[in-house]
Amino acid sequence: MSLTLDESTAATKINFEVSFSEPQAHYIDVEMSIADLGRDFVDIKMPVWAPGSYLVREFAKNVEGFSAADSKGNTLGFKKTNKNTWRVSLNNKSEIKVNYRVYAFELSVRTSFVDASHAFLSPTGVFMYVDGMIKEPSTVKIRLAKNWAKVSTGLEPVKGKENTFLAPDFDILYDSPLEVGNQDVFEFTAAGVRHEVAMYGGGNYDKARLSADMAKIVETETAVFGENPNKHYVFIVHNTSTGGGGLEHLNSTVLGARRLSYADEAGYKGFLGLVAHEYFHLWNVKRLRPQALGPFNYDQENYTTDLWISEGFTAYYDNLMLRRAGLYTPEKYLDVVNADINTVENQPGNRVQPVSEASFDAWIKYYRPHENSRNSTISYYDKGAVLAMVLDLEILGSTKGKKGLDDVMKAMYDEYYKKQKRGFTDAEFRAMAEKVAGKSLDKIYNDYVNGTQPISFNNYLGHAGLALVDDNKGRVQPFLGAATVIKDGKVTVTAVARGSSAWNYGLNVNDEIIAIDNNRITLAVDPNTKISDLDRSVVTKKVGEKIQVLISRDGLIQTLDIQLSANNSFRYRIAESEDVTEDQMLVRRRWLHL
């Protein structure tokens, strides 16, 4: 079923009216009108998760005051049948109204928030759906709170109806967040698309500079796929004291930023990197997607082993796009790549969890980190970005710079989004990458995607006449392997690295370190050496030497004899190889956009 924007809202079977009777108390008031039911009962459901953020968040926990009535206002009975379903008895009524309130006081890109200054509606946590009617269109009317003036959303407005918007189906509704209040709005046009930027929270941003640089990113990313599928795109930006995070949507995104970071060059480029990441999702994941990621089941987890592609490749392209747009120098871009490699290679979990498994287990591990996560898991963002670089260089090398990962992404977009109009399988993505590369990618997939073998970086960087150098190679330095903080005035262990001295000899998270070799430990830092007393107690020793660590564990005093092992961490940097060939320079120029 499709509707034009100027049709009456009466043509839709489901209509929402949102108001804010107590914004200062963080409440959203929702009235849901449903018509043409024709059944004995109806199940009204609240999604349990937000697409793009792979964790069951139980949004029904924020619902209060659920009630239902017929078109004459007569109360209808209901009962909850599970955690997120309200079953309403219809009594032969075909039209009903459902009312409920949502408590909204978690400001993030994936959750709703309301206070006296504004409202941010993350739709899966606000709008319920009728079981069996998720493909129905709906309208959303926003009643502004006192002194509020604007609504920013990717939903299209209904002609002639103030602050009323049409969603062709609930997948679109759930993919269209709304910012309501007095946000600062400015616009720019890039790739033939009107872009709206809605800034909440103030900040020291320069609109002209942001517009110009964001336009460069849009144009650069559009060039990868050859088209921009939107007519209107909205950036909702929450500027707060801490900021951070982003969540992609079909024709909008929500970004978190530090309000005073725009005047700082590192902070500004960090924001542009976030823009580039979420905008690249416009194609990668929102349209070019694994089969599991749409149509969605909003009641439970939607599993895929391909988040290393959907998120990791996007994490690779965000920085690459800044380079191509001229916002990073080649040297700065290589520094970023260095950082990515060092992050992955210095995480012990990289040798434990394959990145495909990390993708599948996102629902239970990525969003629920604990003190041992670094030892047992790897980020599909970080590892995926590194593997995207590996694939890009392998394809560039095997085709002598004629083709790269761009060609894989565009071919996949054309085949599965535009032509077949469906998600891809693991095998289909791999087959396309091998077709473009003109060779088997068995090693990359077997050893690095589905395995945990060390990546032979120099094999891939070598295509561009570059090499990875470990500045820690040959260094022999003792290493305890325990991270600590001052907690309640005590030096407390917060993490223990797998395979380290602390790990091997039983130093635990939450242990209080009182003394080492009878010297009190306070984490005090020597003003000359900038080394803490804990570090000094270790680095002044030799590998193989023992230290005596006095600890308090659960209030009981004990001594651990720990033999110090060597620090086996890496400190990588990318350097130029000797005797670079013309073919290698061709690949380098293509990769680094020289």
Side-chain angles (χ1 to χ4, degrees):
M1 181 177 183
S2 61
L3 295 174
T4 58
L5 296 180
D6 58 352
E7 290 184 89
S8 168
T9 55
T12 56
K13 298 177 182 179
I14 304 172
N15 302 290
F16 293 95
E17 185 170 300
V18 178
S19 57
F20 308 92
S21 60
E22 295 181 294
Q24 82 289 346
H26 321 300
Y27 277 96
I28 304 167
D29 303 294
V30 182
E31 181 176 88
M32 182 183 187
S33 302
I34 312 168
D36 196 20
L37 290 170
R39 62 187 86 165
D40 294 332
F41 63 86
V42 63
D43 285 341
I44 314 294
K45 303 173 75 69
M46 176 71 84
V48 303
W49 68 290
S53 181
Y54 306 101
L55 177 68
V56 171
R57 297 183 184 275
E58 310 292 20
F59 293 124
K61 68 186 178 183
N62 296 318
V63 174
E64 298 177 18
F66 184 97
S67 65
D70 63 19
S71 58
K72 295 182 179 179
N74 299 311
T75 299
L76 297 174
F78 72 91
K79 66 176 181 179
K80 287 197 74 173
T81 59
N82 61 33
K83 64 183 180 181
N84 66 316
T85 305
W86 290 257
R87 178 165 290 179
V88 179
S89 300
L90 294 178
N91 297 336
N92 297 317
K93 306 297 182 182
S94 64
E95 297 184 14
I96 67 171
K97 286 190 176 182
V98 170
N99 286 272
Y100 57 92
R101 307 185 84 197
V102 176
Y103 181 71
F105 196 53
E106 183 182 353
L107 184 60
S108 78
V109 297
R110 65 191 72 84
T111 53
S112 298
F113 181 91
V114 181
D115 67 8
S117 67
H118 81 127
F120 171 65
L121 309 185
S122 182
T124 51
V126 174
F127 300 109
M128 295 188 184
Y129 69 94
V130 179
D131 192 27
M133 297 178 70
I134 202 161
K135 291 302 179 183
E136 288 290 329
S138 63
T139 64
V140 176
K141 180 176 182 178
I142 304 294
R143 290 196 176 276
L144 301 175
K146 184 179 180 180
N147 299 322
W148 292 2
K150 304 173 186 176
V151 180
S152 296
T153 180
L155 291 172
E156 292 296 328
V158 175
K159 186 177 179 180
K161 294 184 179 294
E162 187 178 18
N163 296 325
T164 303
F165 305 89
L166 176 69
D169 56 45
F170 274 75
D171 288 318
I172 298 297
L173 176 62
Y174 289 150
D175 210 20
S176 304
L178 301 97
E179 176 66 28
V180 186
N182 297 302
Q183 57 272 22
D184 182 20
V185 176
F186 62 94
E187 295 185 356
F188 65 89
T189 299
V193 177
R194 178 173 66 90
H195 292 77
E196 174 186 344
V197 183
M199 291 283 200
Y200 164 77
N204 57 356
Y205 51 87
D206 180 326
K207 296 181 187 180
R209 186 186 183 195
L210 267 181
S211 295
D213 288 341
M214 291 171 75
K216 291 176 185 176
I217 292 169
V218 169
E219 297 280 2
T220 302
E221 294 188 349
T222 300
V224 174
F225 295 92
E227 68 173 22
N228 194 308
N230 287 321
K231 294 181 179 179
H232 173 219
Y233 191 93
V234 180
F235 295 93
I236 296 173
V237 185
H238 293 148
N239 294 304
T240 61
S241 59
T242 53
L247 189 64
E248 71 276 2
H249 298 282
L250 196 67
N251 69 339
S252 64
T253 188
V254 186
L255 309 175
R258 289 186 296 112
R259 65 170 58 94
L260 298 180
S261 66
Y262 297 95
D264 172 72
E265 194 62 19
Y268 180 69
K269 291 296 174 60
F271 177 75
L272 292 181
L274 182 60
V275 168
H277 183 98
E278 301 306 334
Y279 200 83
F280 197 82
H281 274 312
L282 184 160
W283 298 274
N284 191 32
V285 94
K286 296 315 300 182
R287 290 171 173 84
L288 170 61
R289 58 174 177 79
Q291 277 191 330
L293 299 186
F296 294 115
N297 182 337
Y298 295 101
D299 282 351
Q300 63 185 43
E301 298 87 345
N302 294 234
Y303 294 102
T304 175
T305 56
D306 287 328
L307 291 179
W308 68 277
I309 296 172
S310 297
E311 290 293 353
F313 280 31
T314 305
Y316 170 66
Y317 270 103
D318 55 24
N319 292 309
L320 190 61
M321 294 298 98
L322 294 191
R323 168 63 206 124
R324 290 186 190 173
L327 298 167
Y328 275 166
T329 64
E331 294 76 18
K332 173 59 179 176
Y333 175 67
L334 288 180
D335 285 344
V336 172
V337 173
N338 280 334
D340 289 344
I341 293 173
N342 278 287
T343 295
V344 169
E345 291 301 301
N346 283 308
Q347 183 154 334
N350 184 38
R351 297 288 176 263
V352 176
Q353 184 186 48
V355 72
S356 56
E357 180 185 299
S359 301
F360 193 86
D361 282 347
W363 298 90
I364 57 174
K365 292 188 177 182
Y366 183 77
Y367 289 94
R368 290 173 174 156
H370 52 72
E371 68 280 352
N372 198 48
S373 291
R374 280 185 51 80
N375 292 322
S376 60
T377 66
I378 191 64
S379 163
Y380 49 80
Y381 285 86
D382 298 337
K383 184 71 172 282
V386 168
L387 288 177
M389 178 198 71
V390 165
L391 279 168
D392 201 2
L393 287 169
E394 181 71 350
I395 296 168
L396 287 167
S398 64
T399 63
K400 295 186 177 181
K402 294 179 181 178
K403 294 182 179 180
L405 191 57
D406 285 14
D407 298 279
V408 178
M409 301 302 285
K410 186 177 188 308
M412 290 294 294
Y413 176 81
D414 289 345
E415 178 65 25
Y416 294 100
Y417 171 68
K418 294 177 67 177
K419 183 180 177 181
Q420 298 197 37
K421 303 183 187 306
R422 65 172 176 86
F424 59 82
T425 66
D426 296 19
E428 286 166 342
F429 193 95
R430 177 175 177 173
M432 185 67 78
E434 291 183 332
K435 179 181 178 181
V436 173
K439 64 184 297 186
S440 168
L441 298 173
D442 280 353
K443 182 173 181 60
I444 291 174
Y445 271 85
N446 294 342
D447 291 355
Y448 311 149
V449 176
N450 299 315
T452 58
Q453 295 299 310
I455 297 174
S456 302
F457 285 104
N458 285 336
N459 289 345
Y460 306 104
L461 289 167
H463 291 310
L466 299 169
L468 198 64
V469 177
D470 179 14
D471 287 335
N472 281 353
K473 187 176 182 179
R475 187 186 70 166
V476 179
Q477 186 175 21
F479 180 59
L480 180 59
T484 55
V485 297
I486 297 291
K487 183 178 180 181
D488 298 327
K490 303 172 182 177
V491 178
T492 305
V493 177
T494 57
V496 175
R498 181 185 291 272
S500 67
S501 305
W503 173 284
N504 292 333
Y505 289 89
L507 189 61
N508 291 179
V509 168
N510 295 326
D511 285 351
E512 177 196 356
I513 298 179
I514 301 171
I516 293 180
D517 291 339
N518 296 320
N519 292 308
R520 179 78 179 184
I521 297 298
T522 64
L523 293 189
V525 176
D526 186 304
N528 297 316
T529 63
K530 309 300 181 185
I531 297 175
S532 72
D533 54 3
L534 175 59
D535 291 336
R536 186 172 61 251
S537 297
V538 175
V539 299
T540 55
K541 305 293 183 179
K542 295 180 179 179
V543 172
E545 195 171 349
K546 289 186 177 181
I547 58 174
Q548 212 173 56
V549 183
L550 182 66
I551 66 168
S552 172
R553 179 178 296 168
D554 191 30
L556 299 177
I557 304 299
Q558 60 180 286
T559 299
L560 299 178
D561 290 322
I562 296 178
Q563 185 175 26
L564 294 172
S565 56
N567 187 343
N568 59 1
S569 66
F570 304 102
R571 188 155 64 100
Y572 286 124
R573 60 182 171 85
I574 296 175
E576 184 167 352
S577 305
E578 296 181 3
D579 302 321
V580 179
T581 68
E582 183 53 40
D583 283 348
Q584 290 172 319
M585 280 305 303
L586 187 65
V587 169
R588 188 189 302 180
R589 284 193 290 269
R590 172 77 184 269
W591 181 43
L592 299 180
H593 203 68
L594 300 176

